[in-house]
Every structure is written in C-alpha cells, then in structure tokens.
Amino acid sequence: MPTLVFVHGSGCTGEVFAAQSAAFPGSFAMTVAGHTTPGAPASISEMADDVVTQCEARGIRNAILVGNSMGGAIALELAIRRYEAVRAVVLIGSGAKLRVAPAIFEAIERDFPSAAHMLAGYCFSRSRKDLIEPAAAGILAVGAAQTARDFHACDAFDVTERLERIEVPLLVLTGENDVMTPPRLGAFVADRVPGASARIVSGAGHLAMVECPDDTNEALRAFVTTIVS
C-alpha cells in the first residue's frame, strides 16, 4: 500500500495537513528542512533532495506525494527526476511555474507581521476570515528569512518544458477561489502530463486541504483507489 507523503507550501510546515494526517493513518506530513532548524535548502531542487532524505530515513519506498503550492513544485521535480519511490503525485494549489509578485518580497522585508497576515488572507476564500489568524501565526512561526527563501525558490521554479517526462499518475486539485495559483495553472499541468486529471475544489482557496478538508480528502481517497486497484 502506498504511503501518502504530504509536503507543505511556502511559509508553512507539515501542520497544514493536520486534517489529512488524521484521515489517512500511516501517512507522513513532513516539514522541509530549514523550517524547524537554522539553514535551509535554497531551491526547489535542494528541497526535493531533502524530501528524498526524509523518505529514505523512514523507509518509504512507495509514496504518493501530495504537495501544496511549493510542495507541489517539489513533487513535480521528483516526478520529473523519476525518483523510484514516487508512485503517484497530487498537486494542491500548484503549477509548473510559480512566479511570485515582487510586492510579496517587499512586504516580507518591510513589515513581516503585516506580510504574514496579508499572505494568510490570500490563502482562503473571502468567506473564511476565521482561518486567517491561525494561518498568519503559522507563517510568523516559520519566520521572515525562511518564508522569503521559500518564495524565492518558487519564483525561480519553472518546469513547463519538462512535464512530459512525468510517467506516474497525477491529480491536480485547485481551489475554485485560489488567487495565488488559479485553476488555469493546474489545468496547464494536467493537459501536458499523459493521463493526468484536474479537479476543482468548490468554494476553496489556496489551502484547499485546510479550508475544505472533507472534499479534499474525498478526492484523495478516490485517487488512491485508482492507484491501488
């Protein structure tokens, strides 16, 4: 049975997958190196190396990588490498190219607490203001330096010309109201990876797994069934 391995996005930790960890016993919601200790991988490729290290340390050799935003970039990188432990990939609010607005870097440098609340606001649909404060607290805990490194790694990421190398099953989930990685970016990936599919999570923003955990988990279960059947 494959192990679901959850990989978080910029300024986050594995805690954003709490609802999925509870729903899928035996899964692994990792936190990429640097988010809990000083020093960090500076690129998506280096972060992917860390994911490999953590999976091998846990003896995970049959993984379904589920990545949100930056985590999706990491998952795509490993699928393109054809890392042998990757059985399938799920992207949540991610894409093949993750350009970051210069205003985000400026905001992080100028006033990080305000930037954290701004970024948290971008993560959810307008109806879920209750989720902003907890998300902002998580970003603040990660810190300005690491959050900036994450976004710089995303800004440099572009695998639009390498997607055809992916040979594993791939599902793209995008929140209907995602303003950071809108549905067209997910559709772009699905259209260029043979056999891939895209699905919209109704009413969700960028962190669909937090805002709409039941719908996200249902989509994951259905996808896992296709892998193991």
Side-chain angles (χ1 to χ4, degrees):
M1 182 73 177
T3 301
L4 286 167
V5 176
F6 299 104
V7 189
H8 60 83
S10 299
C12 297
T13 67
E15 293 180 3
V16 295
F17 286 103
Q20 288 66 50
S21 295
F24 297 93
S27 63
F28 173 36
M30 70 165 57
T31 295
V32 179
H35 288 70
T36 54
T37 56
S43 68
I44 295 298
S45 180
E46 290 173 326
M47 293 177 190
D49 291 342
D50 180 60
V51 170
V52 170
T53 297
Q54 293 197 47
C55 284
E56 291 182 349
R58 286 176 168 259
I60 298 173
R61 297 181 177 84
N62 186 14
I64 298 177
L65 293 183
V66 182
N68 170 242
S69 196
M70 181 184 77
I74 294 167
L76 285 176
E77 169 67 24
L78 289 174
I80 288 167
R81 288 186 194 177
R82 296 175 181 167
Y83 172 48
E84 60 184 7
V86 177
R87 176 79 173 275
V89 168
V90 179
L91 307 184
I92 302 178
S94 195
K97 186 176 182 178
L98 299 176
R99 295 300 300 273
V100 178
I104 288 179
F105 297 114
E106 293 168 5
I108 292 172
E109 184 175 352
R110 181 177 63 252
D111 183 349
F112 183 57
S114 293
H117 282 82
M118 176 189 73
L119 291 168
Y122 290 157
C123 288
F124 307 105
S125 59
R126 293 181 180 179
S127 63
R128 295 305 306 271
K129 294 182 179 180
D130 59 304
L131 297 174
I132 293 177
E133 286 300 326
I139 296 169
L140 287 170
V142 168
Q146 183 61 55
T147 300
R149 278 193 289 268
D150 288 351
F151 278 111
H152 279 294
C154 287
D155 193 47
F157 177 74
D158 184 353
V159 294
T160 54
E161 302 301 322
R162 300 166 62 202
L163 292 174
E164 292 182 359
R165 285 186 52 80
I166 297 176
E167 296 181 335
V168 296
L170 188 148
L171 171 66
V172 184
L173 299 177
T174 309
E176 177 185 17
N177 302 315
D178 190 339
V179 297
M180 297 189 77
T181 52
R184 62 179 173 79
L185 298 185
F188 179 93
V189 175
D191 288 344
R192 285 159 178 78
V193 176
S197 60
R199 179 169 171 176
I200 303 298
V201 182
S202 179
H206 191 56
L207 297 185
M209 67 283 187
V210 175
E211 189 168 5
C212 297
D214 292 342
D215 289 346
T216 300
N217 292 349
E218 184 276 327
L220 289 174
R221 287 192 188 94
F223 182 66
V224 171
T225 298
T226 68
I227 303 301
V228 300
S229 60

